[in-house]
Structures are given as C-alpha cells and as structure tokens.
Amino acid sequence: RWGLGTPLSQSAVAPASLAIRRWGEPRAFATMPTAMAADGSPFWVALRSDLHAALRAGAVATGLVTFREGVGIESLRERDEGLSIGLSDGSPRLDTPCLIGADGQRSTVRRLL
C-alpha cells in the first residue's frame, strides 16, 4: 500500500520458509512457512539499510516530509498544534505537527519528551 514494492523487490528475497537455529548448530529447532499475507503482500527478507532507503524515498515522494540530517535536537516544546523544536545548528525553531524520533537506542527525542 505504501508503494515500496518496486524498490524493495530489487534487493529483498522472498524465502519459502524460515529456519531458526542456535548459533553454531547446523540443525534448525523450528521452521516457519512464509506464505503471502491475506492481502497478497509477499514476505520479504531485506537488509535494514535497504528498507530504510525505500521508506525514506517513499516519504520524500509524498512531499509532506522534511529530513534534516546532521542537525541535533536541543529542545522540544509541546504545543497545541504539535511540536516546536530547537535545533543545534542555530537555525530558527522548527514548528511541526509531528516528529519521528528514529534516532536510535540512546534517543534524544525520547529523553526530551
């Protein structure tokens, strides 16, 4: 539904089943078929970086998303209309209805919220 099938299909694989093994043991202790979902979506295995690239391209294509790379968030202030964000590069505060904090395990966004 998000239109990511074409970019992901170029690098992902569609296995018939998954085998779950303990590290260093050749025999699987569980297997799972990977049939298509009820809506016809395939089960794919992809590199996380390929998934991120496809999600980013899809978000940019909407024209509704802005990415600010290499800029840290110094402060967050909740407002009725969303958030007001103070950025580390000294640019004016960014007012936005939504923020996706995909900044990892030591998330600054999570800490500030």
Side-chain angles (χ1 to χ4, degrees), residues 25-111:
E25 293 185 21
R27 214 171 112 248
F29 67 85
T31 58
M32 178 178 87
T34 57
M36 282 195 171
D39 67 356
S41 301
F43 183 99
W44 285 338
V45 176
L47 291 172
R48 183 185 303 253
S49 59
D50 291 343
L51 175 60
H52 286 185
L55 288 168
R56 180 188 175 105
V60 168
T62 68
L64 302 172
V65 177
T66 302
F67 286 90
R68 299 286 301 265
E69 294 179 2
V71 178
I73 294 176
E74 291 191 344
S75 64
L76 288 175
R77 193 170 42 209
E78 290 186 67
R79 303 169 43 152
D80 290 340
E81 310 83 37
L83 296 168
S84 181
I85 303 167
L87 302 173
S88 63
D89 66 354
S91 60
R93 291 188 76 82
L94 178 64
D95 294 322
T96 181
C98 154
L99 170 68
I100 298 172
D103 54 341
Q105 186 174 3
R106 295 178 191 92
S107 172
T108 300
V109 173
R110 183 182 317 139
R111 181 177 51 79

